[in-house]
């Protein structure tokens, strides 16, 4: 998986192409040479083509129109109503990006806060637990099993469970803080508290993945390096900085990238815990787009515009991140 | 794990206690919500979910009600069909594509890997409206097939990427030996590589099952009649603005966690091996 971290450079390394292959093959010979590969790839290409690429193109098209539930073509009984929406060019994007339509920048800010806080906590807590579990320790297997548990819980179940715990009336969290003499908080009903709640739940859900991945990474760091560092008199902190972190870099790079994308797109936690509320305060871009598409008068064009903006931000982020990571890695390696 | 650094065995008792305290604390935090749901599901007195300090009578009443008086079993079957379908279809086509990308050089290889990577980034929100139209054109709305295909858009790219990485760690000499013994490329894949790649495949199976089992956005839009609802949508109806049947909700939550946890603990032995193989090879 970390091929994605090192990028195209490593892919180019093995097996120099023999010059003979440079001669363009005729269609039939290409087919004969590659048909196995193509046959094995074909199902994926068909599925992704029909279900991802075509919808994507259509989504981009919709974002350039003013399509809503009221004007797309549909069939009612035996009457077919033709679509009556118009092409409006970049108007939707201008509306959203100029701030004229309102919610975009506050949603974006919160989405960024949400992503950065969640991924930072996922990574640091996951790494901390992985370091603890990587030691010689009695009951390691038991701890690991218990700590992995949140990962085995489907997010929607977790969201329901946490709603029960955080509930304003009769939630156990408020009951505990009341009996400790502290005030109660309307965890899901006040904007700031609701933001803390969704972050808390998402951290709870996401730490095990990081922990397991980093634990796997830790076990591949050569033991001799630690011994050498110890012989050289390095303190535990120095060993961590100089051996552990660089050794983890390939794994860290991948899991942080994946974690960022997953968190940025995290739908169930927010949709089921707060429904984006109160008053849209916890809506990240993804849930906002979904709300536009499927609540009230369905604003297909608006949702598609949000979707296109989200997707392009992620693509830009991923390519910048990969380039940065490749540079870091090559600096470390020499 | 204990061999070279025996000194760590003789850790000072104080730091050992701190270590265990931290881990116990973290484990409690990890387990508590699940345990709380379990406990609440056993409270049979109505409205006792809202009294955290009262237990009342414990019993299986909520479970009986969920199984007998609601459509829970239908929703459960719907979710199971979709999750298993997605896993089978997704892992199968991702495995063949991942193998081809790992072993063969062919035109279109690079765009394929690029597509795996990029499609992982698309949130459901980007695809959901046009996908809705596509499925509606194909007549697949409100059908298992449609939702399975939609879930595959999430599962396939990740599985393909992951399995390609895993296949890369299996020596090519094994393929060559198979070819010399007269196996076709597909036979080599099926008889030699798939058995060797079991840990990696287990991880992708787990991943796609869990993703499809817990997916909410597609599920709540593409399935429209109550008898086709998957679990997240159906269970959501227990606790809405109008009702608060937390007893039913927690009982069904426990019933939902069981298959997920079963799959989880079946594959968790392979989990670390698979993730590591995917992650370290670079």
């Amino acid at each position: 998986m970390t091929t994605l971290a090192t990028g195209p450079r490593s892919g180019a390394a093995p097996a120099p192409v023999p010059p003979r292959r440079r001669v363009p093959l005729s269609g039939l010979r290409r087919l004969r040479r590659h048909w196995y590969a193509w046959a094995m790839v074909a199902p994926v290409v068909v599925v992704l083509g029909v279900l991802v690429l075509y919808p994507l193109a259509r989504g981009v098209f919709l974002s350039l129109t003013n399509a809503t539930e009221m004007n797309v073509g549909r069939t009612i009984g035996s009457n077919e109503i033709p679509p009556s929406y118009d092409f409006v060019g970049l108007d939707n994007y201008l509306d959203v990006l100029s701030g004229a339509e309102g919610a975009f920048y506050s949603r974006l800010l919160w989405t960024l806060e949400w992503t950065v806080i969640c991924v930072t906590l996922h990574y640091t807590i996951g790494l901390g637990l992985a370091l603890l579990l990587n030691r010689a320790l009695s009951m390691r297997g038991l701890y690991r099993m218990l700590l992995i548990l949140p990962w085995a819980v489907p997010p929607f179940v977790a969201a329901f469970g946490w709603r029960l715990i955080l509930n304003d009336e009769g939630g156990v969290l408020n009951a505990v803080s009341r009996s400790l003499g502290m005030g109660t908080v309307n965890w899901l009903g006040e904007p700031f508290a609701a933001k803390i709640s969704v972050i808390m739940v998402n951290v709870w859900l996401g730490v095990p993945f990081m922990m397991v991945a980093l634990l796997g990474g830790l076990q591949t760091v050569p033991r001799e390096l630690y011994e050498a560092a110890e012989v050289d008199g390095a303190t535990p902190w120095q060993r961590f900085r100089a051996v552990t972190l660089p050794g983890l870099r390939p794994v860290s790079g991948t899991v942080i990238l994946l974690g960022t994308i997953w968190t940025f797109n995290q739908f169930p936690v927010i949709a089921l815990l707060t429904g984006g509320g109160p008053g849209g305060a916890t809506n990240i871009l993804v849930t906002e787009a979904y709300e536009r598409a499927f609540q009230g008068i369905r604003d297909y064009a608006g949702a598609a515009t949000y979707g296109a903006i989200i997707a392009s931000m992620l693509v830009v982020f991923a390519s910048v991140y990969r380039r940065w990571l490749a540079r870091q890695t090559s600096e470390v390696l020499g | 794990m204990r061999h070279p650094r025996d000194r760590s065995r003789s850790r000072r008792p104080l730091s050992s206690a701190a270590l265990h305290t931290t881990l116990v604390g973290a484990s409690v935090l990890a387990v508590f919500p699940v345990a709380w749901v379990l406990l609440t599901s056993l409270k049979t007195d109505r409205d006792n979910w809202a009294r955290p300090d009262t237990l009342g009578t414990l019993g299986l009443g909520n479970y009986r009600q969920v199984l007998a008086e609601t459509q829970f079993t239908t929703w459960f079957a719907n979710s199971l069909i979709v999750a298993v379908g997605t896993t089978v279809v997704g892992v199968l086509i991702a495995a063949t594509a991942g193998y081809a990308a790992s072993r063969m050089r062919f035109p279109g290889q690079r765009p394929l890997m690029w597509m795996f990577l990029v499609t992982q980034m698309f949130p459901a929100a980007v695809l959901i409206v046009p996908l809705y139209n596509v499925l509606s054109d194909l007549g697949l709305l409100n059908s298992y097939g449609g939702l399975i295909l939609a879930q595959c858009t999430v599962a396939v790219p990740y599985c393909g990427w992951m399995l390609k990485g895993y296949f890369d760690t299996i020596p090519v000499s094994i393929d060559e030996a198979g070819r010399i013994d007269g196996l076709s490329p597909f036979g080599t894949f099926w008889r030699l590589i798939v058995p060797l790649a079991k840990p990696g495949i287990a991880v992708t199976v787990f991943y796609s099952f869990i993703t499809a089992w817990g997916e909410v956005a597609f599920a709540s839009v593409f399935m429209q009649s109550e008898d086709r609802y998957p679990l997240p949508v159906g269970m959501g109806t227990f606790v809405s603005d109008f009702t608060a049947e937390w007893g039913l909700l927690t009982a069904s939550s426990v019933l939902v966690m069981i298959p997920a946890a079963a799959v989880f603990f079946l594959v968790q032995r392979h989990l670390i091996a698979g993730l590591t193989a995917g992650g370290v090879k670079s």
Side-chain angles (χ1 to χ4, degrees):
Chain A
M1 274 215 352
T2 332
T3 36
L4 112 167
T6 49
R9 277 168 217 211
S10 63
V17 184
R20 193 163 45 87
R21 294 259 312 259
R22 290 287 159 84
V23 181
L25 300 169
S26 70
L28 198 64
R29 286 192 54 200
R30 276 168 70 109
L31 188 67
R32 198 175 300 147
R33 184 193 283 267
H34 299 301
W35 78 269
Y36 269 120
W38 281 342
M40 290 179 102
V41 170
V44 165
V45 172
V46 171
V47 168
L48 292 186
V50 174
L51 296 170
V52 176
L53 297 184
Y54 169 72
L56 197 69
R58 221 189 123 72
V60 171
F61 168 73
L62 279 177
S63 74
L64 301 173
T65 67
N66 60 2
T68 65
E69 191 182 10
M70 311 305 288
N71 60 17
V72 292
R74 57 198 181 280
T75 316
I76 300 175
S78 56
N79 304 325
E80 199 157 313
I81 302 171
S84 61
Y85 54 83
D86 302 312
F87 189 77
V88 296
L90 293 173
D91 281 7
N92 291 323
Y93 292 94
L94 288 177
D95 274 357
V96 169
L97 294 176
S98 69
E101 160 275 358
F104 179 73
Y105 285 103
S106 57
R107 297 284 179 274
L108 176 63
L109 181 67
W110 159 239
T111 309
L112 295 179
E113 287 168 1
W114 149 266
T115 310
V116 170
I117 296 174
C118 282
V119 174
T120 311
L121 290 175
H122 283 156
Y123 185 80
T124 46
I125 299 176
L127 180 59
L129 291 175
L131 287 171
L132 295 183
L133 284 181
N134 198 35
R135 295 165 160 226
L137 181 76
S138 51
M139 299 190 295
R140 239 176 102 206
L142 178 68
Y143 283 132
R144 199 179 70 194
M145 214 167 84
L146 294 179
L147 289 171
I148 289 180
L149 189 68
W151 192 7
V153 178
F156 73 92
V157 173
F160 286 135
W162 278 96
R163 234 165 92 184
L164 176 68
I165 291 171
L166 297 170
N167 215 311
D168 189 27
E169 38 193 298
V172 65
L173 193 60
N174 272 342
V176 169
S177 76
R178 200 180 301 125
S179 68
L180 292 178
M182 295 183 287
T184 62
V185 178
N186 188 354
W187 285 106
L188 301 175
E190 280 163 29
F192 185 70
K195 286 181 175 181
I196 303 222
S197 304
V198 285
I199 289 177
M200 191 162 72
V201 174
N202 194 41
V203 167
W204 183 81
L205 271 172
V207 162
F209 169 76
M210 289 284 186
M211 187 188 80
V212 171
L214 291 171
L215 191 58
L218 283 176
Q219 287 169 354
T220 64
V221 179
R223 217 146 263 283
E224 301 80 53
L225 290 181
Y226 285 108
E227 282 159 24
E230 222 164 327
V231 170
D232 290 347
T235 63
W237 174 244
Q238 284 171 328
R239 288 200 296 262
F240 176 72
R241 287 283 309 274
V243 180
T244 311
L245 279 186
L248 280 179
R249 186 157 279 153
V251 180
S252 304
T254 308
V255 293
I256 290 179
L257 179 64
L258 282 177
T260 307
I261 293 169
W262 288 341
T263 310
F264 197 91
N265 292 335
Q266 176 61 268
F267 183 86
V269 168
I270 290 181
L272 294 179
L273 202 64
T274 63
T282 52
N283 254 344
I284 55 174
L285 291 173
V286 177
T287 52
E288 174 78 19
Y290 178 82
E291 246 176 46
R292 274 159 198 267
F294 293 104
Q295 282 178 16
I297 294 179
R298 299 175 167 196
D299 178 7
Y300 294 141
T305 311
Y306 264 77
I309 294 175
I310 296 169
S312 34
M313 285 195 302
L314 284 171
V315 170
V316 170
F317 163 76
S319 53
V320 169
Y321 179 81
R322 279 179 65 190
R323 206 155 297 154
W324 177 79
L325 204 68
R327 209 175 58 225
Q328 295 274 307
T329 314
S330 65
E331 270 168 20
V332 169
L333 297 179
Chain B
M1 289 312 299
R2 78 185 57 152
H3 92 281
R5 293 201 291 155
D6 274 343
R7 291 202 295 133
S8 63
R9 298 297 294 173
S10 55
R11 203 182 293 127
R12 287 199 314 276
L14 195 69
S15 73
S16 171
L19 180 67
H20 279 276
T21 317
T22 318
L23 283 172
V24 168
S27 305
V28 168
L29 283 180
V31 173
F32 175 75
V34 177
W36 188 253
V37 166
L38 184 64
L39 180 67
T40 309
S41 73
L42 295 170
K43 293 183 180 176
T44 49
D45 298 335
R46 269 186 88 78
D47 296 335
N48 250 9
W49 61 267
R51 293 185 209 97
D53 46 346
T54 340
L55 273 183
T57 357
L58 296 183
L60 295 175
N62 288 321
Y63 291 89
R64 213 168 294 128
Q65 202 184 342
V66 160
L67 292 174
E69 294 167 31
T70 68
Q71 287 197 301
F72 176 78
T73 43
T74 319
W75 302 330
F76 192 95
N78 293 343
S79 273
L80 202 61
I81 291 170
V82 171
V84 170
T86 309
T87 307
V88 171
V89 175
V91 171
L92 207 63
I93 67 179
T96 54
Y99 178 72
S102 161
R103 288 298 197 270
M104 307 171 192
R105 300 180 167 277
F106 58 94
Q109 184 176 18
R110 236 156 221 289
L112 180 75
M113 293 313 287
W114 188 82
M115 189 160 85
F116 280 164
L117 181 65
V118 171
T119 39
Q120 283 177 48
M121 288 180 227
F122 295 145
V126 181
L127 295 177
I128 198 161
V129 173
L131 204 52
Y132 184 87
N133 297 344
V134 172
L135 292 180
S136 142
D137 289 346
L138 295 172
L140 288 174
L141 277 182
N142 206 25
S143 77
Y144 299 121
L147 190 56
I148 288 175
L149 286 175
Q151 306 286 20
C152 278
T153 65
V154 185
V156 166
Y158 181 84
C159 295
W161 188 277
M162 178 103 189
L163 285 172
K164 191 242 174 210
Y166 200 84
F167 291 141
D168 281 348
T169 64
I170 298 174
V172 183
S173 53
I174 291 177
D175 298 54
E176 283 157 4
R179 298 299 295 280
I180 290 169
D181 289 349
L183 287 171
S184 68
F186 190 77
T188 317
F189 166 70
W190 191 246
R191 300 221 193 138
L192 296 180
I193 304 301
V194 167
L196 284 173
K198 264 187 196 152
I201 291 177
V203 177
T204 53
V205 164
F206 169 69
Y207 176 83
S208 33
F209 186 89
I210 289 287
T211 327
W213 185 250
E215 207 277 338
V216 176
F218 287 151
S220 53
V221 174
F222 296 154
M223 294 303 221
Q224 295 153 331
S225 63
E226 207 176 336
D227 62 320
R228 285 294 170 92
Y229 278 172
L231 286 162
V233 187
M235 281 164 58
T237 60
F238 289 151
V239 185
S240 66
D241 294 342
F242 313 108
T243 53
E245 296 284 359
W246 282 102
L248 297 183
L249 186 68
T250 48
S252 46
S253 295
V254 172
L255 293 174
V256 169
M257 278 189 273
I258 291 169
V263 175
F264 185 83
F265 287 108
L266 271 181
V267 301
Q268 73 110 22
R269 208 157 39 91
H270 299 297
L271 203 61
I272 296 194
L275 275 171
T276 324
V280 180
K281 168 239 90 123
S282 74

